[in-house]
Amino acid sequence: MDKVTRLVQEKGVVIFSKSSCCLCYAVSILFQELGVSPTVYEIDQDSDGREMEKALLRLGCNAPVPAVFIGGKLVGSTNEVMSRHLSGSLIPLLKPYQQTSS
Amino acid sequence: MATHRVGEANLSGSAPTNHHLPYAVLHGINPPSATFINQEGSAFDFGELEEAIVLQGVKIRNDEAKTPLFTARPAATLEMFPSWPMRFQQTPRGSSKSGGGESTDSGSAVNTLSSRAEGQLEPESPISIKPTSDHHQPFDQKNLQFQQNQHHQHQHQLEMASDNNPRLAGPSESQPAAAASKPPPEKISRKGAGSTSERTLDAKTLRRLAQNREAARKSRLRKKAYVQQLETSRIKLTQLEQDLQRARSQGLFLGVGGGGGGGPGGIISPGAAIFDMEYARWLEDDHRHMSELRTGLQAHLLDGDLRVIVDGYLSHYDEIFRLKGIAAKSDVFHLITGMWTTPAERCFLWMGGFRPSELIKMLIAQLDPLTEQQVMGIYGLQHSSQQAEEALSQGQEQLQQSLIDTIASGSVADDMAHMVMALGQLTNLEGFVRQADNLRQQTLHQLCRILTVRQAARCFLVIGEYYGRLRALSSLWASRPRDGDDGR
């Protein structure tokens, strides 16, 4: 089973990122604002990084990073996460994983 | 296009011009250094040439013609351009008759012309006039240098003369326009052959000549406009090349695409220029949408009809975000520095546009009355937007910091490598602007979901008016009266 699938099932909120990607950083900041501590995997620092990138693209992400998974399911990239947040449909997804009530 | 070269002259332009040149050479007309045919000038009026040639008839063929046809010797000028206002008294030439009543007409026409001459402004014949005040200067290159002022003046006279002439053509059947468009040399030779020793002007010829003059005038105007266009483009091109050259030497970050370096006198990238044009058009559309909203609200339309207008306004905003997305790809600096907006808007710019949470804050006060649910929804939207804005801002800050680190660090040896890395980091900027625009777009769509149709219509009206006033503020500020040097 590929690494990505495994990783997203292990933790509730997973963000695949790259250390050079500042939008990924922005997404993780947003999650922190919402009282969530996401698990961030920097795939450019992972030995299986290239495989993971391919897997992410195969899953339907336009850009491999940031790729956000909540509860094992792909939510999307920055665009999807931000849009959901404005429409109010992000918080309900995060509720189980919020460490502080916001 | 001209394939012929007479002296230094180089002809280009409309067809009649080409035809005249070979003819002139054929018939031994040898303008001094042939430079009167100055292409840049279009000061040379071939309508006049034809007329002159026709009227001269045989005279062209004899030795007298060796002297430049257009030497402004009073006598020669007099005979060549009878239709032109003259300083001199014109001798009536109606004596010889080529047959029929036409000559009488032409005779009287000539007389009429000469009497008109006194009423005209410019006393000099068109060929011999030009920059120098010396009326009798032989026709040379200097005379024929194209000068716009003279040309305007000249043109004015041509118009006056041309306007007059058709009337003088008399009752005779004149050649239809087709004749005027036929290659003039044929006409001239035909006419020349038929009136070897005649210098009478018949009505037909007059009319045709007038039409030729008119055609020549129009052709001149077109050419002038085209040349002006070319010159403007040439100057712009040179400027662009210089700027590009400078930018290249200063390094890629500073110059390429102009980017934020645009502004008054600065160069602007093609992407930015295109966007600015599209944005200007979008503003016009915005105005139209606003009127529609206003009328729709006042007319108390049914919700369904108003919904159509509101949706139209939403699509209108979708469109600008789409255009900004395209512009961000080619020139993100242009968007992020706000060079596409007015100064006042630029002052409040956040990541290449308005800050959604600020907009909502402004709207809340204007949107009364709202239901409790609506109030909650809008405050929720504001809160979410603030959080998203904060996340994006922090992300951008991190980008800037890493960019600074990249540029500041590194020795001369790996200078290029750092530049390349910095370039890569810069490409992230586009992503931020697009995400910011996405927030703006989502904010507007969410507002429409929370509000009723009428409230949404009013909401958009408020937004449009707000930014309209902000733009107007920029203009007012720029044109405000300033006290002298006391710095107040």
Side-chain angles (χ1 to χ4, degrees):
Chain A
M1 122 164 343
D2 79 280
K3 192 160 177 179
V4 168
T5 321
R6 182 172 48 84
L7 289 174
V8 304
Q9 284 171 357
E10 282 175 8
K11 297 279 164 69
V13 182
V14 175
I15 304 178
F16 290 99
S17 167
K18 280 188 190 168
S19 53
S20 58
C21 171
C22 295
L23 272 179
C24 303
Y25 180 72
V27 169
S28 65
I29 293 287
L30 177 66
F31 276 46
Q32 284 170 35
E33 282 182 282
L34 302 178
V36 174
S37 291
T39 312
V40 181
Y41 295 107
E42 312 271 11
I43 64 174
D44 59 334
Q45 288 167 352
D46 195 303
S47 48
D48 302 308
R50 297 192 62 176
E51 288 305 312
M52 293 166 78
E53 186 164 332
K54 282 189 213 158
L56 287 169
L57 289 168
R58 242 181 287 126
L59 282 169
C61 304
N62 281 335
V65 293
V68 177
F69 289 79
I70 301 177
K73 288 218 272 278
L74 174 66
V75 172
S77 191
T78 324
N79 206 297
E80 288 74 36
V81 170
M82 297 271 172
S83 303
R84 268 184 180 275
H85 187 46
L86 257 63
S87 70
S89 60
L90 184 66
I91 299 267
L93 288 179
L94 292 172
K95 261 235 160 48
Y97 311 101
Q98 277 175 318
Q99 285 156 359
T100 55
S101 52
S102 56
Chain B
M1 283 301 142
T3 50
H4 221 95
R5 273 189 161 255
V6 177
E8 302 154 33
N10 196 6
L11 267 190
S12 68
S14 48
T17 313
N18 285 335
H19 288 285
H20 275 101
L21 179 50
Y23 172 78
V25 172
L26 262 171
H27 286 258
I29 297 171
N30 253 330
S33 58
T35 50
F36 67 82
I37 308 171
N38 186 341
Q39 75 184 84
E40 280 185 296
S42 46
F44 190 69
D45 178 9
F46 285 100
E48 301 306 316
L49 167 60
E50 194 212 335
E51 187 169 7
I53 290 161
V54 168
L55 296 173
Q56 280 289 333
V58 147
K59 215 175 181 186
I60 291 169
R61 295 191 182 96
N62 61 29
D63 283 351
E64 270 183 52
K66 290 263 169 67
T67 51
L69 182 62
F70 307 101
T71 305
R73 290 178 299 142
T77 327
L78 197 76
E79 283 156 359
M80 272 164 36
F81 303 105
S83 64
W84 272 89
M86 294 290 176
R87 200 173 276 166
F88 314 97
Q89 197 65 40
Q90 189 172 355
T91 31
R93 293 198 275 112
S95 48
S96 51
K97 291 182 173 25
S98 54
E102 282 182 323
S103 46
T104 320
D105 283 350
S106 59
S108 57
V110 168
N111 285 334
T112 324
L113 278 167
S114 64
S115 65
R116 262 183 214 276
E118 284 149 61
Q120 307 284 14
L121 297 168
E122 227 310 348
E124 295 183 303
S125 80
I127 298 305
S128 63
I129 52 165
K130 275 330 164 193
T132 63
S133 49
D134 193 351
H135 179 54
H136 296 297
Q137 198 169 345
F139 213 53
D140 59 25
Q141 184 171 11
K142 194 161 165 228
N143 268 342
L144 293 157
Q145 289 304 321
F146 175 58
Q147 294 218 4
Q148 277 194 342
N149 315 346
Q150 249 75 12
H151 190 251
H152 281 305
Q153 210 181 354
H154 184 202
Q155 225 133 270
H156 181 64
Q157 294 140 43
L158 279 176
E159 285 169 54
M160 283 165 64
S162 312
D163 288 341
N164 291 330
N165 283 329
R167 273 181 268 140
L168 302 167
S172 62
E173 220 75 45
S174 60
Q175 299 277 351
S181 60
K182 271 199 216 152
E186 294 171 31
K187 263 189 286 178
I188 293 169
S189 40
R190 240 187 293 127
K191 193 63 189 161
S195 56
T196 38
S197 52
E198 293 276 296
R199 286 192 244 113
T200 332
L201 280 175
D202 63 34
K204 246 193 233 182
T205 320
L206 265 178
R207 174 116 159 178
R208 199 177 45 232
L209 293 172
Q211 282 171 343
N212 281 355
R213 268 200 300 280
E214 193 55 37
R217 184 180 73 86
K218 288 203 178 117
S219 154
R220 264 203 313 281
L221 284 171
R222 276 200 303 273
K223 197 171 172 186
K224 185 178 159 201
Y226 177 61
V227 166
Q228 273 176 346
Q229 226 184 346
L230 279 180
E231 309 231 297
T232 322
S233 303
R234 193 173 55 81
I235 293 168
K236 265 194 228 158
L237 188 63
T238 323
Q239 261 175 5
L240 275 172
E241 280 174 340
Q242 282 173 354
D243 285 340
L244 192 61
Q245 199 55 14
R246 215 182 309 128
R248 281 211 180 107
S249 62
Q250 284 173 3
L252 293 166
F253 281 129
L254 297 176
V256 171
I267 55 162
I268 185 167
S269 72
I274 290 170
F275 177 74
D276 282 355
M277 272 183 350
E278 288 171 329
Y279 179 59
R281 210 184 308 140
W282 186 87
L283 283 175
E284 285 169 21
D285 283 347
D286 196 64
H287 199 72
R288 194 175 35 84
H289 280 279
M290 297 266 288
S291 307
E292 262 187 331
L293 281 168
R294 228 174 264 123
T295 345
L297 279 170
Q298 281 164 4
H300 292 282
L301 289 178
L302 291 173
D303 275 5
D305 296 331
L306 203 55
R307 166 66 61 192
V308 172
I309 300 178
V310 167
D311 284 349
Y313 201 81
L314 259 181
S315 307
H316 171 66
Y317 262 99
D318 287 345
E319 178 62 11
I320 192 61
F321 293 129
R322 186 186 70 85
L323 291 169
K324 283 177 83 182
I326 296 169
K329 281 197 174 63
S330 67
D331 194 345
V332 70
F333 282 131
H334 184 67
L335 292 179
I336 217 167
T337 56
M339 294 315 291
W340 57 282
T341 59
T342 60
E345 289 171 288
R346 220 174 288 150
C347 187
F348 301 110
L349 208 72
W350 175 78
M351 230 175 265
F354 66 82
R355 190 184 267 269
S357 56
E358 287 297 319
L359 183 73
I360 297 170
K361 211 194 290 184
M362 185 271 293
L363 285 170
I364 283 178
Q366 314 273 336
L367 287 175
D368 287 336
L370 295 167
T371 67
E372 208 179 295
Q373 198 179 19
Q374 284 178 324
V375 171
M376 294 230 327
I378 293 182
Y379 271 111
L381 181 62
Q382 188 189 10
H383 188 53
S384 306
S385 190
Q386 263 169 338
Q387 287 168 324
E389 288 160 25
E390 182 59 28
L392 285 178
S393 294
Q394 285 198 30
Q396 195 190 24
E397 265 173 50
Q398 207 209 32
L399 175 60
Q400 280 171 343
Q401 193 55 56
S402 51
L403 201 56
I404 291 169
D405 290 342
T406 307
I407 299 174
S409 69
S411 59
V412 176
D414 51 11
D415 202 28
M416 208 53 216
H418 281 267
M419 283 306 201
V420 170
M421 185 154 65
L423 266 179
Q425 286 167 332
L426 264 184
T427 57
N428 283 319
L429 258 184
E430 183 206 326
F432 278 94
V433 175
R434 304 235 23 210
Q435 288 309 315
D437 274 348
N438 182 50
L439 281 189
R440 295 183 256 268
Q441 191 176 24
Q442 291 303 318
T443 300
L444 293 173
H445 279 265
Q446 287 304 318
L447 278 171
C448 278
R449 278 190 210 121
I450 296 170
L451 301 170
T452 66
V453 181
R454 291 196 72 79
Q455 285 170 329
R458 226 179 314 133
C459 169
F460 281 134
L461 212 53
V462 168
I463 294 174
E465 281 170 359
Y466 174 75
Y467 285 111
R469 270 183 229 132
L470 205 53
R471 282 190 290 270
L473 192 64
S474 295
S475 307
L476 285 171
W477 181 254
S479 58
R480 77 192 185 285
R482 269 158 258 234
D483 297 329
D485 292 336
D486 57 44
R488 262 194 298 147

